[in-house]
Amino acid sequence: MSILDFIFYSFIVVVFIQALFYFIFFGRFAFLKQNKSTLQNIPVSVIICAKNEAENLKNFLPSIISQDYSNFEIVLINDASSDHTLEIMKHFAEQNTNIKIVDVKNIEAFWGNKKYALTLGIKASKNEFLLFTDADCKPVSKDWIKEMSSHFNNDKTIVLGYGAYSKIKNSFLNKLIRFETLVTAVQYFSFAKTGIPYMGVGRNLAYTKKTFFNANGFINHIKVRSGDDDLFINQVANKKNTAITFSKASFTESTPKTSFKKWIKQKRRHVSTAKHYKFKHKIILTLFYSSNFLFWILSILLFTLTYNWQYVLGLFLCRLIFQYVIIGFSSKKLNETDLLIWLPFLEIFLIIAQLTIFINNLISKPNFWK
């Protein structure tokens, strides 16, 4: 067998692996209908951990306060901020009796550790059902708490939601950020529906206090600066206890980064947690990302060499078609359909960005949560 034969057959295997991922895993979410949940008025504690977020709290906290839900408190955690975050919190607390402030001071053992601050906030909350978001997030609906909390029941103690990013016109970076967010959501929703949940996002995530304390909180990964959302869910989530919701009223929307440098810094922090995932999750994710990377590398190589180009073109188009179908149905669910026209370009740029982040993380470890 020649080298070109080997490359060609490798390309066939890669396309086959991609087809398995898209139809067996991602198709579970793409073609899923949202079950109607039973609305209930359970007491909920909305928890927001903020570090130097004075302006964001001014802009976005009112959308939490004005939620159409009769039984909730807001726990605001000031994580040793150096700006006016605490003063802004106190201002809102004076006007709203359901706001509780937890003022966290840095201590040597947990210096700059968000998980320590979150743990204090969770302990201070009065309700069993906890709903998490970030200071730079806003619910897109007044029914956010209602939608997220309605998926709790005797079995489902974890609820995974979608945390979108706001759209900025004529910005390729914005499209790339939203595409990466869309692809990540398709993955964690799909794997959850397949029975192997592996992560959630802290911008829109809910679980019970009992789930938190039964797992001894973040103790298993307390020294890892990031991962208060995905590492915790990776640890505690399973087929029986995890629910997802993708009704548009359950979405939150965050302010995206506006420079590649800031976004890469943010993603470096997020990606650094993946090495702490369970082994089976690391294998599955590595296989998907590797097959994605190899699909483009091998197709470009084979097209350049015009080796069996008719077959290569057929396989290439087949893969693009089933990707468009799955991502198309998924993007409609998550209100991101404007990204479809850019799909191949966004995927290539995302692969390059992910490779850059991986190499940077090998060279130096990110040690910040903001």
Coordinates of all heavy atoms in Angstrom, one line a residue, residues 112 225-226 265-266 268-269 365-370:
G112 N -7.5 34.2 45.6 CA -8.1 34.3 44.3 C -8.8 33.1 43.7 O -8.9 32.9 42.5
R225 N -7.9 26.3 39.4 CA -8.5 27.6 39.4 C -9.8 27.7 38.8 O -10.7 28.4 39.2 CB -7.5 28.7 38.9 CG -6.3 28.9 39.7 CD -6.6 29.5 41.1 NE -5.5 29.8 41.9 CZ -4.9 31.0 41.9 NH1 -5.3 32.0 41.2 NH2 -3.8 31.2 42.7
S226 N -10.0 27.1 37.6 CA -11.2 27.1 36.9 C -12.0 25.8 37.1 O -11.5 24.9 37.8 CB -11.0 27.4 35.4 OG -10.1 26.4 34.9
K265 N -7.4 34.2 26.0 CA -7.1 34.1 27.4 C -8.2 33.4 28.1 O -8.0 32.6 29.0 CB -6.8 35.5 28.0 CG -6.5 35.6 29.5 CD -6.3 37.0 30.0 CE -6.0 37.0 31.5 NZ -5.8 38.4 32.0
Q266 N -9.4 33.8 27.8 CA -10.6 33.2 28.4 C -10.7 31.7 28.1 O -10.9 30.9 29.0 CB -11.9 33.9 27.9 CG -13.2 33.3 28.5 CD -14.4 33.9 27.9 OE1 -14.5 33.9 26.6 NE2 -15.3 34.5 28.7
R268 N -8.3 29.7 27.1 CA -7.1 29.0 27.8 C -7.5 28.5 29.1 O -7.2 27.4 29.5 CB -5.9 29.9 27.9 CG -5.1 30.1 26.6 CD -3.8 30.8 26.8 NE -2.9 29.9 27.7 CZ -1.9 30.3 28.3 NH1 -1.5 31.6 28.2 NH2 -1.1 29.5 29.0
R269 N -8.2 29.4 29.9 CA -8.7 29.0 31.2 C -9.7 27.9 31.1 O -9.6 26.9 31.9 CB -9.3 30.2 31.9 CG -9.6 30.0 33.4 CD -10.2 31.2 34.0 NE -11.6 31.5 33.5 CZ -12.0 32.5 32.8 NH1 -11.1 33.4 32.4 NH2 -13.2 32.7 32.4
K365 N 1.0 27.4 32.1 CA -0.3 27.1 32.7 C -1.1 28.4 33.0 O -0.5 29.3 33.7 CB -0.2 26.3 34.0 CG -1.5 25.8 34.6 CD -1.2 25.2 35.9 CE -0.4 23.9 35.8 NZ -0.2 23.2 37.1
P366 N -2.4 28.6 32.6 CA -3.1 29.8 33.0 C -3.5 29.7 34.5 O -3.9 28.6 35.0 CB -4.4 29.6 32.1 CG -4.5 28.2 31.8 CD -3.1 27.7 31.7
N367 N -3.3 30.8 35.2 CA -3.5 30.7 36.7 C -4.4 31.9 37.1 O -4.2 32.5 38.2 CB -2.2 30.8 37.4 CG -1.4 32.0 37.1 OD1 -1.8 32.9 36.2 ND2 -0.2 32.2 37.7
F368 N -5.5 32.1 36.4 CA -6.4 33.2 36.7 C -7.8 32.7 36.5 O -8.1 31.8 35.7 CB -6.1 34.4 35.9 CG -5.8 34.0 34.4 CD1 -6.8 33.7 33.5 CD2 -4.4 34.0 34.0 CE1 -6.4 33.3 32.2 CE2 -4.1 33.6 32.7 CZ -5.1 33.3 31.8
W369 N -8.8 33.3 37.2 CA -10.2 33.0 36.8 C -10.9 34.2 36.2 O -12.0 34.0 35.7 CB -11.0 32.4 38.0 CG -11.6 33.4 39.0 CD1 -11.0 33.8 40.2 CD2 -12.8 34.1 38.9 NE1 -11.9 34.7 40.8 CE2 -13.0 34.8 40.1 CE3 -13.9 34.1 38.0 CZ2 -14.1 35.6 40.4 CZ3 -15.0 34.8 38.3 CH2 -15.1 35.6 39.5
K370 N -10.3 35.3 36.1 CA -10.8 36.5 35.4 C -9.7 37.0 34.5 O -8.5 36.9 34.8 CB -11.3 37.5 36.4 CG -12.7 37.3 36.9 CD -13.3 38.5 37.5 CE -13.6 39.5 36.5 NZ -14.7 39.1 35.5

